[in-house]
């Protein structure tokens, strides 16, 4: 008995090049183009970062002498000039204090509001939620004239929370962040089983005990996300801070750094500005690295309920 064996091998004397060419074309059409797009996206995103790093270490410190790749050597002169010629240290401390305090207060108050909207049923609940959503449709700087008039009066009677004060600026930031964070946290709280609240209530726990001992530990991911978003928004905010802060010692990083590029000094101060930009990015990167394990779960867990 004979058995015919069928194989996929090419006959002797024929070339396997056509098969390899087909596999190469298939890889390019199905997978390869994604690598090309990814490389282009990385180059596009890294271009401004590389340019700023090159400008920060450029010993000449001017915009006209800055190239993508350093051609004049590397120097720390721009960092030295930044601290000697400006109040960068004061700006940095002001920004950190305002951003951290405003973010923490915003997260805490938003968590309280989100817990009430998620777990309790009361008159005006739906209207309150829709009002928060409607208000967020309008940018906060549209109300800058009204806010300026209000704080003009506030500064006369309560200077500690008026112009050129961190307290007054944080109050404005809190008003703009509560709506977004409340909606974000409410969606997450809706995913937590209500049986946890009911069982704790049956054991004699109050609403405050349920919130602080049960809900908050479980809501750590969304608290981290809301805190990170609030921190980034606050530390980068410029328009409102530029109106409220006029004294050199009370300025934040965004306002102080903008002053370096005003008028005709844009070219000569660009190296100092780039050095300050690199130092300004450090807190945001550190906060992001510290909270990154919560970010994905916090953003996706509350996305299916509203």
């Amino acid at each position: 008995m004979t058995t015919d064996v069928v194989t996929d091998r090419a006959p002797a004397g024929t070339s396997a090049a056509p098969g390899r060419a087909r596999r190469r074309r298939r890889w390019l059409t199905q997978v390869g183009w994604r690598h090309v797009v990814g490389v282009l996206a990385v180059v596009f995103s890294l271009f401004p970062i590389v340019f700023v790093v090159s400008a920060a270490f450029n010993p000449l410190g001017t915009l006209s002498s800055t190239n993508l790749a350093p051609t004049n050597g590397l120097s720390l002169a721009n960092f030295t000039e930044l601290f000697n010629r400006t109040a960068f240290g004061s700006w940095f401390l002001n920004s950190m204090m305002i951003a951290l305090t405003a973010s923490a207060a915003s997260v805490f108050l938003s968590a309280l509001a989100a817990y009430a909207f998620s777990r309790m049923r009361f008159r005006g609940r739906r209207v309150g939620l829709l009002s928060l959503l409607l208000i967020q449709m309008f940018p906060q700087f549209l109300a800058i004239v009204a806010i300026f008039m209000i704080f003009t009066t506030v500064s006369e009677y309560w200077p500690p929370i008026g112009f050129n004060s961190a307290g007054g600026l944080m109050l404005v930031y809190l008003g703009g962040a509560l709506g977004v964070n409340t909606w974000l946290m409410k969606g997450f709280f809706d995913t937590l089983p209500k049986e946890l609240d009911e069982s704790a209530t049956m054991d004699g726990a109050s609403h405050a005990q349920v919130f602080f001992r049960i809900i908050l530990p479980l809501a750590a991911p969304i608290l981290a996300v809301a805190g990170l978003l609030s921190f980034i928004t606050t530390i980068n905010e410029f328009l409102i801070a530029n109106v409220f802060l006029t004294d050199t010692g009370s300025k934040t990083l965004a306002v102080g750094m903008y002053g370096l590029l005003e008028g005709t000094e844009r070219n000569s101060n660009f190296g100092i500005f780039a050095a300050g930009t690199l130092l300004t990015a450090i807190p945001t990167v550190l906060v992001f690295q510290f909270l990154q394990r919560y970010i994905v779960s916090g953003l996706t867990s509350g996305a299916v309920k509203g």
Side-chain angles (χ1 to χ4, degrees), residues 116-117 120-132:
F117 282 122
M120 302 177 184
R121 297 297 180 266
F122 51 89
R123 181 177 299 178
R125 173 180 174 273
R126 182 175 179 81
V127 175
L129 284 172
L130 293 178
S131 299
L132 287 175

Side-chain angles (χ1 to χ4, degrees), residues 99-116:
L100 291 174
T101 305
S103 299
S106 173
V107 170
F108 178 71
L109 295 176
S110 299
L112 293 175
Y115 176 74

Side-chain angles (χ1 to χ4, degrees), residues 74-131:
L74 301 177
S75 174
L76 297 177
N78 290 325
F79 294 90
T80 304
E81 288 292 318
L82 177 66
F83 285 95
N84 291 338
R85 290 174 47 189
T86 68
F88 182 82
S90 176
W91 301 341
F92 190 89
L93 292 178
N94 291 339
S95 292
M96 291 300 101
M97 181 190 67
I98 293 174
L100 291 174
T101 305
S103 299
S106 173
V107 170
F108 178 71
L109 295 176
S110 299
L112 293 175
Y115 176 74
F117 282 122
S118 176
R119 288 297 197 264
M120 302 177 184
R121 297 297 180 266
F122 51 89
R123 181 177 299 178
R125 173 180 174 273
R126 182 175 179 81
V127 175
L129 284 172
L130 293 178
S131 299

Side-chain angles (χ1 to χ4, degrees), residues 10 102 128 150 183 211 230 242 257 274 288:
I150 292 173
W183 267 95
F211 176 75
S230 298
N242 191 40
M257 295 288 290
F288 182 85

Side-chain angles (χ1 to χ4, degrees), residues 10-11 21 66 94 153 157 168 212 216 227:
T66 301
N94 291 339
T153 304
Y157 296 99
F212 286 104
L216 280 189

